[in-house]
Amino acid sequence: MAFFRHKSYINVRMLLRVIGWLLMIEALFMLVPCVTGLIYGENSVMQFLVCMGITAGCGMAMVSLKPKSREMGKREAILLTGLTWVILSMFGMLPFLICGTHLSVTDAFFETMSGFTTTGASVLNSLEGVPHSILLWRCVVQWVGGLGIILFTLAVVPMLNYQGGMQLFNAEVTGITHDKLRPRVSYTAQGLWFVYICLTTLLIILLSFSEMSLFDAICYGLSTMSTGGFSNSDMSLTELDNLYIKIILLIFMFLGGVNFALIYKAARGDVKSAMRNDVLKWYLAIIGICYALLCLNLWKRGMIDSLDDWTIDPLFQAVSILSSTGLTEPDFADWGPEAVVVLIIMMVMGACAGSTSGGAKIDRFIILFKFLKNEFFKMMHPSAVTTVCINGKGTPNPIVMKTLAFLFLYVIVIMTGGTIIVLTGMPLKDSFFICLSAISNTGLGTDITGVEGNYALVPDLAKWVLSFVMLTGRLELYTILLIFTTSFWKK
């Protein structure tokens, strides 16, 4: 009711117009799996064309709206971001409904939202017999959602630079603060997407030199660079137990967890920015610590039989979970409870802000730890003036407070979501684990869902809850939860 009472100051027509542009872009992306179905001679080609027609038609209808004003403020930007991810998931699920996967509306929406948020949790019981076009669509959805739907639009529709572009940028891009790489937001978006496309292309080329087919190389390239983790077969990495493939995937999962602004600056010759970056140093240190703990656990359990067992395998697992890609070693289920504890810590932390990874982000934990260190120091020296420093610069107190509130809210969402899922009949441990997995956009499961994270047995209500939690985690809590507060709707 609040929306309708105050709709006079919400630029509804402009919101719908921008969403229309996004739907038309989504329809263009559907061409990729459509052509793939044509190449493989699949019956899904006509069905994809129908999906494209519905999506593009609705998009054109929205674009035809003529708003009185083209301006968008912070309120419109936040509302637009939340609506965009939901509406594009609603249209993105159409291929899952009519292209041979026989999914219900609940399962189709869950699969699509899992893809867009790069969570990688799947409800498909088996990938055997699933059309190539659908397998590729899952990966395309992940790839688009990896760097951000809104960010892609800012890159290809420069007019938004003048119509709330910075607000849109801040509402979607992960991180504590957002620095523009270029004077205009659209140029920044183009720069980040250029890096993303180049890395994805390079990954696909490198994977194509392995025993993978070109189709698999494309799918794993899109899925890995977005740190999403959707696989092409039921066997996942068991089928691809190849040292070359693992090393290539490991490198690009790591890069997917690095702030893309740093990669952009390094590509332009500013390597010193990366070398001096505190968050990147912490990222490397945490990977090293988690790798050592996993190695120690494997040695303790007597599971080290070859060189790979204490070199590439635990390192691969550490990078995969910390970057929220979610690809797991074939025998990870046998690594024991100690490994699960390390896994949970990595899921909560995530990688760097400004990357495609999920989790609360290392940046926030740096602020938390330094803030706690200062508080302990001030207990002994009450008159001391302290500040939280990152990269040699002091962090303003409002940002510190916002970070602490974010981490507290993160726990509240997990506890609330997990409790609701328990009430749907799921076991206690499974409920809270999959809720953590959803908010961190990792996609791993436990007993019922399994390590690979098949969510087919999860009740429908729990799937809707998890879909909401996945979206909340991907847009870093505030963008979604703020819409449900009365202050958002007040003038």
Side-chain angles (χ1 to χ4, degrees):
M1 293 298 293
F3 174 77
F4 292 103
R5 282 199 303 270
H6 302 292
K7 68 178 180 179
S8 58
Y9 70 93
I10 298 289
N11 196 344
V12 178
R13 285 178 175 267
M14 189 59 198
L15 292 182
L16 294 176
R17 184 177 171 84
V18 176
I19 292 173
W21 281 109
L22 286 161
L23 286 175
M24 291 171 69
I25 293 170
E26 184 177 30
L28 284 176
F29 274 111
M30 288 183 183
L31 268 176
V32 179
C34 187
V35 172
T36 301
L38 194 63
I39 292 172
Y40 283 92
E42 296 173 343
N43 297 326
S44 59
V45 175
M46 286 304 299
Q47 295 163 333
F48 259 102
L49 287 174
V50 171
C51 296
M52 287 176 58
I54 295 172
T55 306
C58 292
M60 285 188 286
M62 292 182 183
V63 168
S64 66
L65 296 173
K66 303 296 182 184
K68 294 180 180 179
S69 170
R70 292 175 178 268
E71 293 300 318
M72 288 194 298
K74 184 178 291 186
R75 184 178 282 105
E76 281 90 352
I78 292 172
L79 189 59
L80 173 64
T81 304
L83 285 174
T84 293
W85 285 74
V86 173
I87 292 174
L88 263 68
S89 293
M90 290 171 63
F91 283 89
M93 74 178 182
L94 292 177
F96 294 109
L97 289 173
I98 66 176
C99 292
T101 54
H102 308 295
L103 295 181
S104 64
V105 172
T106 297
D107 287 348
F109 184 83
F110 180 91
E111 191 82 10
T112 312
M113 182 61 77
S114 176
F116 272 126
T117 58
T118 71
T119 304
S122 180
V123 293
L124 293 172
N125 283 312
S126 175
L127 297 178
E128 300 302 324
V130 174
H132 288 79
S133 54
I134 287 292
L135 292 176
L136 185 58
W137 178 238
R138 294 165 82 229
C139 297
V140 168
V141 163
Q142 277 197 331
W143 187 75
V144 173
L147 207 54
I149 301 168
I150 299 292
L151 191 64
F152 182 82
T153 309
L154 288 170
V156 299
V157 187
M159 71 172 187
L160 291 178
N161 187 70
Y162 308 100
Q163 299 154 10
M166 194 61 195
Q167 288 90 342
L168 290 169
F169 184 81
N170 289 335
E172 183 184 65
V173 176
T174 62
I176 303 168
T177 59
H178 307 107
D179 298 323
K180 290 197 295 181
L181 300 174
R182 305 281 294 279
R184 293 183 179 179
V185 176
S186 59
Y187 290 165
T188 296
Q190 289 167 9
L192 293 174
W193 267 94
F194 178 75
V195 172
Y196 190 49
I197 291 170
C198 288
L199 288 174
T200 305
T201 304
L202 179 59
L203 173 55
I204 291 171
I205 292 171
L206 292 173
L207 287 176
S208 66
F209 287 130
S210 71
E211 61 189 33
M212 279 187 179
S213 66
L214 179 60
F215 176 79
D216 286 339
I218 292 172
C219 288
Y220 274 100
L222 297 174
S223 183
T224 301
M225 201 64 244
S226 64
T227 62
F230 271 148
S231 179
N232 266 9
S233 71
D234 297 333
M235 300 297 288
S236 188
L237 282 183
T238 306
E239 190 177 59
L240 303 171
D241 195 9
N242 177 287
L243 183 61
Y244 173 80
I245 293 175
K246 283 185 178 181
I247 291 174
I248 295 299
L249 293 179
L250 190 154
I251 292 170
F252 283 87
M253 285 190 299
F254 170 80
L255 291 174
V258 176
N259 189 330
F260 275 78
L262 282 182
I263 300 176
Y264 177 85
K265 291 177 182 178
R268 292 176 62 88
D270 186 11
V271 181
K272 290 183 179 179
S273 293
M275 295 179 66
R276 292 195 299 260
N277 189 268
D278 289 345
V279 180
L280 183 58
K281 292 176 183 176
W282 275 63
Y283 182 36
L284 289 166
I286 292 169
I287 288 173
I289 292 169
C290 293
Y291 163 70
L293 290 173
L294 290 175
C295 282
L296 183 63
N297 176 62
L298 290 173
W299 172 77
K300 179 183 173 183
R301 297 179 69 85
M303 297 181 66
I304 295 179
D305 299 319
S306 65
L307 186 65
D308 290 356
D309 290 338
W310 64 271
T311 54
I312 190 69
D313 290 354
L315 182 60
F316 182 96
Q317 199 61 70
V319 174
S320 174
I321 304 303
L322 198 60
S323 66
S324 80
T325 309
L327 294 173
T328 56
E329 281 295 313
D331 59 348
F332 182 73
D334 301 323
W335 286 20
E338 296 89 348
V340 174
V341 172
V342 177
L343 177 149
I344 290 173
I345 294 171
M346 290 190 290
M347 285 169 61
V348 172
M349 294 195 76
C352 308
S355 67
T356 59
S357 69
K361 304 294 185 299
I362 293 171
D363 309 53
R364 293 188 174 92
F365 282 96
I366 295 175
I367 289 178
L368 172 64
F369 294 146
K370 291 191 174 185
F371 172 80
L372 291 175
K373 178 184 175 183
N374 289 346
E375 289 302 301
F376 279 114
F377 180 80
K378 286 195 288 186
M379 290 179 70
M380 296 301 297
H381 306 85
S383 59
V385 178
T386 59
T387 185
V388 173
C389 290
I390 298 180
N391 299 325
K393 298 179 182 179
T395 305
N397 193 58
I399 292 180
V400 175
M401 294 299 104
K402 185 179 179 181
T403 299
L404 298 178
F406 176 94
L407 293 172
F408 182 67
L409 192 57
Y410 202 81
V411 175
I412 290 177
V413 173
I414 294 171
M415 297 303 294
T416 304
T419 301
I420 296 173
I421 295 171
V422 168
L423 297 176
T424 66
M426 289 281 289
L428 185 69
K429 184 178 77 172
D430 293 75
S431 299
F432 285 96
F433 188 92
I434 61 176
C435 191
L436 169 60
S437 182
I439 197 172
S440 65
N441 301 136
T442 307
L444 292 180
T446 182
D447 296 345
I448 288 181
T449 53
V451 172
E452 291 295 335
N454 188 293
Y455 285 67
L457 297 178
V458 174
D460 283 357
L461 176 58
K463 288 173 186 169
W464 287 106
V465 172
L466 290 172
S467 296
F468 177 79
V469 173
M470 285 189 285
L471 179 60
T472 304
R474 171 59 182 84
L475 297 180
E476 303 218 310
L477 308 188
Y478 291 119
T479 300
I480 293 297
L481 298 182
L482 189 59
I483 297 173
F484 296 94
T485 64
T486 54
S487 60
F488 178 82
W489 299 103
K490 288 181 180 178
K491 270 188 176 180

